[in-house]
Amino acid sequence: MISRRTAAPPTGPALERARPRAADRRQAPRGRRPAAGRVLWHLAAIGVTALFLLPLLWMVVASLQPAGMPPARTLTAFPYGVAWANYAEIFRVIPLARQLGNSLLVSSMGAGVTLLTASWAGFAMAQMPPAIRRRLVALALFLLLVPASAVWLPRYIFFAELHLIDTYVALVAPAVMGSKSLFVLMYYWTFRRVSGELFESAWLDGAGAWSSWRRIALPLAAPTTLAVAVLAFSHYWSDFVDPLLFLKSASRFTVTVGLRMLQQMDQTHWPLLLAAITVAIAPVIALYLFLQSVLRGDADIVRRSLRILDRDSEER
Amino acid sequence: MNAFRFSWPGRVPASRSPLARYRRQLWLLLAPFLAGALLLIGLPALLTFGLAFTRYDALTPPVWSGWANFAAILQREVFWIAARNTLVFAGAAALLQVLGALGLALLLHPARRGVHLYRGGVYLTTILPDVAYALIWLWLFNPLYGPVNLVLGGIGLPQPAWLIDPATALPSLIAMAAFRVGEGMLLLIAARQALPAAYYQAAMLDGAGRWAIFRHITWPLLVPWLLLLFVRDIVVAAHSTFTAVYIMTGGGPGYATTLLPYLVFEEAFSHLRIGQAAAMLTLLFAAIALFVWFVYRRLGAWGYADDL
């Protein structure tokens, strides 16, 4: 506020200059309150954010406690010094490197296939006649309602019949349908924002659906692609129940099952477990921070989606 | 977008026209999604529904048993405990999540410097893998050296045993779920930012206080979004609790934290009572569908679509 006032343009006739100053004087008594309010707002926001972030910071601190020491009973950060060795130790206690590699493989495959299938489906849905389109959106929303637990058992039987148990195919199979119908809807909302005339003229120029998708639709949807890629990767990285059910040999375990292994091995040795958790969640957090810094206006995707929903409801 | 609704001129048969070919290509692009939805969700869900009427232990072929499974589970005390726990958990967690998301959205909706950092920090807990989140809270809630009790002890408050004590175990899980409000917050921030600034300027000119503005402008205009979020949170809370229970409590102490998804998993994969597990799932799904349908009807009656 203050800096903006001093930065007022010094040029122009005297009258013009006088006007903003008079306005300033009128607002001056009020102007101080927003400044105080702003400080209060920042304090409140910092306090709330800290409530969400402190456990994570504390986890990193606790993961650096030396092994074999009695856990601190007071709020001291490093009563016995810092043990970076914990982060080497966890790779010896469980095959963490291998599990991280497995997770990387599964998540990359899952996210890669998801980008294709979700954008195909969203692209096709966006160009369907309104009646069919509405039914497909309803279907996608309904699929979100089906509890995951309702498909555990039949999928197990299904994969067992196809001899896919203990393979990664069983883990990434949902990528065929875009992993979650939410990803399909994200693409659908993006492509509905694109003017239909664009696809129409491409079609009049003789482009098929495939080349229209590849040359027009995909380049326009780059932010959505980035968001879906990060979300899908995190989805497969975080998946716990599927690997728990479908993987049998320990050498194929992903990192989430690895964490469970470590938890069961030693129920009292928290520093090692916390170190392993820190390593396991680091990629997800890094990807999320990357996505945020690229997309910047974080709420923008949501807001645009809302606007699309608006348009849909108007058409009805 | 009615781009392709115009009729195609010429003598080409309809099925061979370029338009029909384009349409077929579109369906081809949609095929993986539809096939996957059918094979991985549609048919499995139907199969679960079918298995609910059979006696099946995964070793011998299923035997038709009519409504016997439903009669059996309705007589089992553990089912009622799990159903009650699920209801309490879903209702309380969803309520806290919606109120938390509302508070955060009202605090963090202004476009000020640094607001992205605050929103990002709050959202971070929502993106953590379920297993990691559950293990972190298992550590936070440790009665002896968990940070929660260290803080409580530091300021001289009583230190409950959290997950160990049957009285506080379920509330602990609810508290843990209440911190995952990132998505709701983003939705409500977007909804709040979409409210016309003119309303607020007019109210301020009239000298309305903060509470009056919230009470008469913000709240009524956000209520449709809050309801939508509440329904979504209830549905999610009712069927996505397996990992937390499995990692943190194993349903205990006693049956204090036995929620339906965990009970289903135990019945199906530990006790191989697959028919009963399927019957429980069918009831859970029916309850959720009924709830959503009821809310949808009521919202329709309130002119919900106009408010959007």
Side-chain angles (χ1 to χ4, degrees):
Chain A
M1 272 250 136
I2 292 163
S3 62
R4 205 174 293 161
R5 217 173 293 156
T6 49
T11 50
L15 251 179
E16 292 266 309
R17 241 183 301 161
R19 219 176 279 151
R21 259 190 229 140
D24 276 354
R25 216 171 295 137
R26 243 182 295 131
Q27 280 180 356
R30 270 200 213 158
R32 223 154 274 148
R33 261 187 61 213
R38 195 155 291 206
V39 172
L40 272 181
W41 178 82
H42 275 286
L43 286 179
I46 289 173
V48 167
T49 313
L51 192 64
F52 284 81
L53 287 188
L54 272 185
L56 292 181
L57 288 178
W58 204 332
M59 174 184 78
V60 177
V61 169
S63 74
L64 292 169
Q65 305 298 338
M69 292 295 183
R73 299 293 292 270
T74 50
L75 286 174
T76 40
F78 294 108
Y80 312 110
V82 181
W84 295 106
N86 284 351
Y87 281 84
E89 183 67 16
I90 46 172
F91 286 88
R92 282 194 290 273
V93 178
I94 55 169
L96 191 59
R98 167 145 211 143
Q99 292 166 354
L100 288 169
N102 291 344
S103 279
L104 185 66
L105 180 69
V106 169
S107 310
S108 314
M109 286 197 303
V113 177
T114 297
L115 284 182
L116 288 181
T117 52
S119 64
W120 287 343
F123 173 77
M125 263 167 82
Q127 296 181 68
M128 291 285 172
I132 298 178
R133 202 171 66 214
R134 228 171 288 136
R135 262 173 229 148
L136 287 171
V137 171
L139 170 74
L141 291 173
F142 177 76
L143 290 179
L144 288 176
L145 278 185
V146 177
S149 44
V151 298
W152 287 340
L153 193 82
R155 272 193 202 174
Y156 190 92
I157 300 171
F158 181 56
F159 290 142
E161 288 295 320
L162 296 175
H163 301 289
L164 292 175
I165 294 296
D166 207 22
T167 68
Y168 291 147
V169 179
L171 297 191
V172 296
V176 171
M177 54 161 295
S179 295
K180 287 171 155 183
S181 51
L182 176 69
F183 300 150
V184 174
L185 286 173
M186 282 171 74
Y187 270 112
Y188 165 75
W189 288 326
T190 306
F191 291 137
R192 289 276 289 134
R193 245 175 60 239
V194 178
S195 162
E197 285 156 29
L198 205 58
F199 296 127
E200 193 182 335
S201 58
W203 174 69
L204 287 173
D205 285 346
W210 172 264
S211 62
S212 187
W213 167 78
R214 198 167 54 85
R215 280 199 244 119
I216 302 174
L218 261 201
L220 284 173
T224 308
T225 298
L226 189 66
V228 170
V230 168
L231 290 176
F233 187 93
S234 305
H235 170 73
Y236 285 102
W237 186 274
S238 309
D239 194 4
F240 173 64
V241 181
D242 282 359
L244 184 73
L245 286 178
F246 301 144
L247 296 182
K248 300 295 169 200
S249 31
S251 62
R252 298 203 177 122
F253 282 176
T254 57
V255 71
T256 45
V257 186
L259 289 181
R260 171 68 175 165
M261 260 170 77
L262 193 59
Q263 182 206 5
Q264 284 181 313
M265 278 163 69
D266 190 349
Q267 304 253 353
T268 55
H269 202 129
W270 281 104
L272 281 192
L273 183 56
L274 294 173
I277 295 173
T278 308
V279 171
I281 65 177
V284 176
I285 291 183
L287 272 178
Y288 165 69
L289 293 179
F290 166 72
L291 179 70
Q292 239 222 342
S293 70
V294 172
L295 294 187
R296 277 309 274 171
D298 45 18
D300 273 7
I301 285 199
V302 183
R303 201 178 316 131
R304 272 190 241 127
S305 313
L306 296 186
R307 222 174 282 147
I308 302 294
L309 282 177
D310 263 2
R311 217 166 61 189
D312 263 4
S313 62
E314 275 164 27
E315 273 177 23
R316 255 165 233 168
Chain B
M1 183 172 31
N2 302 332
F4 302 103
R5 276 189 128 189
F6 56 85
S7 59
W8 188 258
R11 265 166 278 146
V12 201
S15 64
R16 288 217 202 123
S17 74
L19 183 64
R21 223 184 80 210
Y22 189 83
R23 281 268 177 76
R24 272 201 300 276
Q25 289 168 342
L26 285 185
W27 280 109
L28 214 58
L29 289 179
L30 200 55
F33 170 67
L34 293 177
L38 184 72
L39 283 178
L40 291 169
I41 296 187
L43 287 181
L46 281 180
L47 185 60
T48 301
F49 183 67
L51 284 175
F53 297 93
T54 64
R55 200 169 55 240
Y56 183 42
D57 58 5
L59 305 172
T60 50
V63 182
W64 184 259
S65 66
W67 294 93
N69 286 326
F70 292 93
I73 56 171
L74 290 181
Q75 276 167 11
R76 291 182 59 193
E77 204 190 344
V78 63
F79 172 75
W80 290 107
I81 296 175
R84 195 194 56 112
N85 285 345
T86 307
L87 201 64
V88 170
F89 176 86
L95 191 67
L96 288 177
Q97 283 168 340
V98 171
L99 292 180
L102 176 65
L104 287 167
L106 292 182
L107 180 68
L108 298 179
H109 80 82
R112 291 186 184 168
R113 186 178 297 173
V115 78
H116 292 290
L117 293 178
Y118 301 137
R119 287 180 201 160
V122 170
Y123 194 74
L124 207 57
T125 39
T126 308
I127 56 152
L128 293 180
D130 282 351
V131 178
Y133 192 68
L135 285 172
I136 292 171
W137 278 88
L138 189 59
W139 165 68
L140 290 175
F141 275 141
N142 187 298
L144 289 180
Y145 39 83
V148 173
N149 271 1
L150 289 186
V151 169
L152 289 179
I155 54 178
L157 288 174
Q159 299 164 302
W162 301 118
L163 295 163
I164 315 288
D165 182 348
T168 51
L170 194 59
S172 304
L173 290 185
I174 293 169
M176 167 184 137
F179 276 89
R180 296 190 114 173
V181 290
E183 287 166 6
M185 177 189 73
L186 287 192
L187 181 87
L188 290 180
I189 285 177
R192 171 63 186 80
Q193 287 175 340
L195 301 185
Y199 293 0
Y200 290 89
Q201 285 156 1
M204 281 208 285
L205 284 179
D206 289 346
R210 273 162 184 268
W211 172 249
I213 289 179
F214 173 75
R215 173 77 187 74
H216 296 291
I217 299 179
T218 311
W219 175 259
L221 289 176
L222 284 186
V223 155
W225 292 112
L226 296 176
L227 279 174
L228 190 72
L229 199 58
F230 186 60
V231 172
R232 192 204 76 133
D233 283 349
I234 280 199
V235 172
V236 170
H239 63 56
S240 66
T241 53
F242 168 76
T243 304
V245 174
Y246 183 80
I247 294 279
M248 296 172 76
T249 65
Y255 290 116
T257 58
T258 300
L259 300 175
L260 277 176
Y262 180 75
L263 185 63
V264 165
F265 182 90
E266 283 290 295
E267 288 291 311
F269 292 100
S270 300
H271 308 303
L272 293 179
R273 285 192 288 262
I274 290 163
Q276 290 200 14
M280 288 177 190
L281 271 175
T282 306
L283 289 181
L284 175 65
F285 185 69
I288 289 176
L290 207 65
F291 170 73
V292 172
W293 178 79
F294 175 76
V295 173
Y296 184 77
R297 289 294 301 268
R298 291 305 299 265
L299 291 182
W302 293 338
Y304 192 72
D306 294 339
D307 285 329
L308 291 178

